[in-house]
Amino acid sequence: MKQDMIVILDLGSTNNTVLARAVRDLGVYSEIHPHDITVEELNALDNVKGIILNGGANRVVDGKEVEIDPALYECGYPMISVDYPSSKCEKQFAELPEEADLKSFIFDECKAEANWNMKNFVADQVELLRRQIGDRKVLLALSGGVDSSVVAALLIKAIGQQLVCVHVNHGLMRKNESESVIEVFKNQLHANLVYVDATERFLGKLENVADPEQKRKIIGGEFIRVFEEEARKLDGIDFLGQGTIYPDIIESGTKTAKMVKSHHNVGGLPEDLQFELVEPLKQLFKDEVRACGIELGLPAEMVYRQPFPGPGLGVRCLGAITRDRLEAVRESDAILREEFAKAGLDKQVWQYFTVVPDFKSVGMKNHERCFEYMVIIRAINTIDAMTASIERIDWDILQKITERILAEVANVNRVCYDMSPKPPATIEFE
């Protein structure tokens, strides 16, 4: 079923995503488009039912106030404006409309149907993917993270064995993460999966490297080289699948707002890329990606997996990576995730993990002096990852986690809880 759409034209608002989410929460699909969209581009969009002109603080660019093409007023779509004076709109709002006003516009004036849901989205994307790809092949780097896992599941549903997934284990994965990817995608979904265990290769490159940025560059660069080596072994690949999602596109900049941060999925690819891109999630917000994963039948523990940095545990094993500290990070992280799940905190806390610094402290084990590492627990809540607050964990839960880490994790004699909000701290340590 083709889903009705409300188009939001960005005329300098800082609340485009808030408005887009408000529309989608009412069951109607919405997209944000630039203010200078042409009549032809607008008419090329599927099932447009109405337009919202969304102005705001960034309405003046290079000393000139941005405006829409006057011809858009003649297209016949119902239209309202927010913080954007327009004599052509009968209804104008100084700020984001209340839910009742938004409902009235969407359902009474635009006659839109509340048909935006994951079942319809999946059906639409399967049809679009089959049309785009035909009988050709797609290559996908399957990290095991939420976005790449959902893209993989969607492509498997659409084109089956025409998808080739490459999972690179760089030795910096969480406990049993690669095993989980193999179990779900190869054994359950019967994906065409290439598994590469490059642990020794990555750890060899990282030996004695302590600088965080250098570690990131080595891990990222080596990953690309491994992926390219595997891709060269394959024939007939025309497409590259990516887990780009809507916030990636929005944060990478619009015509009225500067880039928040660059994303490897948006504008970070080489200009001579030999593949055509396949990005079926690029209009979804993160929670919608998770809902899509559930609709596709992925296990909840994979869909609701914690955010995980690209360099993996490499940035949580602080300083130069050693195998004993890497194992301490992996095992303590597994204990933390297990105990948080038991306490119901896995659905309450946005991100939680452990780190192990590159220094030791004196302790006592088995009535003898020991000189071992410490584990630091971090648990934070955030809306936009720009600021973050500390989760107040119940003392009994913290005590249980501490006891387990000290008893079960080798080379550790101390557990600490990080109380630092962002700012001044960052979410990750490196």
Side-chain angles (χ1 to χ4, degrees):
M1 175 187 289
K2 290 295 182 184
Q3 293 157 338
D4 292 345
M5 184 199 302
I6 299 297
V7 171
I8 297 167
L9 295 188
D10 174 19
L11 286 140
S13 175
T14 57
N15 289 315
N16 287 313
T17 56
V18 176
L19 183 55
R21 292 308 309 268
V23 175
R24 292 190 188 189
D25 286 345
L26 294 176
V28 179
Y29 181 59
S30 62
E31 281 186 7
I32 303 165
H33 285 271
H35 67 277
D36 57 358
I37 189 171
T38 65
V39 171
E40 292 73 22
E41 289 169 335
L42 180 65
N43 289 334
L45 299 175
D46 285 334
N47 286 25
V48 175
K49 294 297 182 180
I51 300 172
I52 301 177
L53 309 180
N54 199 27
N58 298 321
R59 202 164 71 225
V60 177
V61 178
D62 296 329
K64 184 179 179 181
E65 188 168 302
V66 297
E67 296 179 345
I68 68 167
D69 182 348
L72 295 182
Y73 291 116
E74 311 303 322
C75 290
Y77 297 109
M79 195 178 291
I80 60 173
S81 68
V82 179
D83 196 11
Y84 178 74
S86 172
S87 60
K88 298 286 188 177
C89 293
E90 291 174 359
K91 288 187 179 179
Q92 301 184 47
F93 298 89
E95 54 189 20
L96 291 180
E98 297 289 337
E99 182 178 321
D101 294 316
L102 205 53
K103 279 184 176 180
S104 176
F105 172 68
I106 293 171
F107 299 115
D108 298 337
E109 296 181 47
C110 299
K111 309 298 182 187
E113 289 186 35
N115 54 15
W116 166 243
N117 56 61
M118 279 305 121
K119 183 175 182 179
N120 289 343
F121 172 81
V122 169
D124 283 352
Q125 286 301 317
V126 166
E127 179 185 336
L128 290 170
L129 288 168
R130 288 173 178 168
R131 193 185 309 163
Q132 178 186 7
I133 298 164
D135 60 358
R136 294 177 288 174
K137 293 181 180 178
V138 180
L139 182 64
L140 175 69
L142 178 57
S143 69
V146 178
D147 301 337
S148 70
S149 295
V150 175
V151 167
L154 190 53
L155 284 165
I156 290 168
K157 185 176 180 67
I159 60 171
Q161 293 295 299
Q162 292 167 240
L163 172 68
V164 181
C165 298
V166 176
H167 176 67
V168 178
N169 179 1
H170 49 30
L172 306 169
M173 310 290 284
R174 287 171 287 200
K175 188 174 183 179
N176 297 327
E177 200 150 32
S178 287
E179 293 83 350
S180 173
V181 169
I182 293 170
E183 172 58 29
V184 171
F185 287 97
K186 189 166 188 175
N187 299 341
Q188 297 179 21
L189 298 180
H190 309 294
N192 188 354
L193 176 66
V194 177
Y195 172 68
V196 183
D197 187 350
T199 299
E200 295 304 318
R201 175 172 175 171
F202 276 83
L203 294 184
K205 294 281 185 180
L206 290 164
E207 190 171 358
N208 298 321
V209 178
D211 180 74
E213 276 306 302
Q214 194 177 354
K215 285 200 292 185
R216 286 178 180 272
K217 287 177 180 176
I218 290 172
I219 295 167
E222 202 62 23
F223 181 88
I224 291 172
R225 281 188 281 274
V226 173
F227 186 71
E228 286 176 340
E229 288 170 14
E230 294 302 319
R232 281 196 291 270
K233 298 175 185 177
L234 305 168
D235 293 323
I237 303 291
D238 292 307
F239 297 90
L240 179 67
Q242 287 207 129
T244 310
I245 66 175
Y246 212 17
D248 295 341
I249 295 172
I250 294 166
E251 287 188 340
S252 294
T254 69
K255 293 181 178 179
T256 61
K258 293 181 179 179
M259 180 179 69
V260 176
K261 56 183 175 179
S262 62
H263 288 266
H264 65 280
N265 285 342
V266 185
L269 294 168
E271 292 182 3
D272 61 349
L273 186 72
Q274 300 299 310
F275 302 113
E276 184 180 336
L277 293 182
V278 173
E279 301 173 295
L281 306 182
K282 66 182 180 182
Q283 297 298 344
L284 296 187
F285 291 98
K286 192 70 172 190
D287 62 316
E288 294 171 331
V289 174
R290 297 188 196 278
C292 183
I294 295 296
E295 177 66 29
L296 288 163
L298 289 177
E301 59 268 23
M302 179 171 281
V303 170
Y304 290 99
R305 181 167 283 159
Q306 280 282 295
F308 196 50
L313 298 180
V315 293
R316 295 177 181 171
C317 184
L318 305 184
I321 296 170
T322 59
R323 292 174 188 259
D324 56 349
R325 284 193 300 111
L326 182 60
E327 193 61 20
V329 175
R330 184 177 286 118
E331 291 298 326
S332 60
D333 174 78
I335 290 171
L336 178 67
R337 287 188 287 122
E338 184 179 325
E339 292 300 326
F340 265 39
K342 287 180 182 177
L345 290 171
D346 56 330
K347 300 295 192 298
Q348 177 180 320
V349 183
W350 188 80
Q351 191 168 8
Y352 46 93
F353 55 89
T354 62
V355 300
V356 176
D358 57 346
F359 59 85
K360 297 180 178 181
S361 66
V362 175
M364 290 288 293
K365 276 189 176 179
N366 301 320
H367 307 293
E368 293 182 353
R369 179 183 183 276
C370 63
F371 195 50
E372 296 180 330
Y373 299 112
M374 71 170 63
V375 168
I376 302 173
I377 297 171
R378 185 151 175 77
I380 56 99
N381 280 312
T382 182
I383 295 174
D384 55 10
M386 304 300 290
T387 62
S389 60
I390 303 305
E391 178 69 17
R392 295 174 180 268
I393 306 299
D394 182 81
W395 189 260
D396 290 339
I397 297 172
L398 272 181
Q399 186 172 353
K400 175 74 178 297
I401 294 168
T402 299
E403 289 171 352
R404 283 197 59 191
I405 289 175
L406 293 177
E408 299 173 32
V409 182
N411 303 307
V412 170
N413 65 2
R414 196 178 296 265
V415 177
C416 301
Y417 189 68
D418 183 359
M419 294 293 293
S420 315
K422 179 183 179 180
T426 54
I427 291 175
E428 296 285 347
F429 277 62
E430 290 189 341

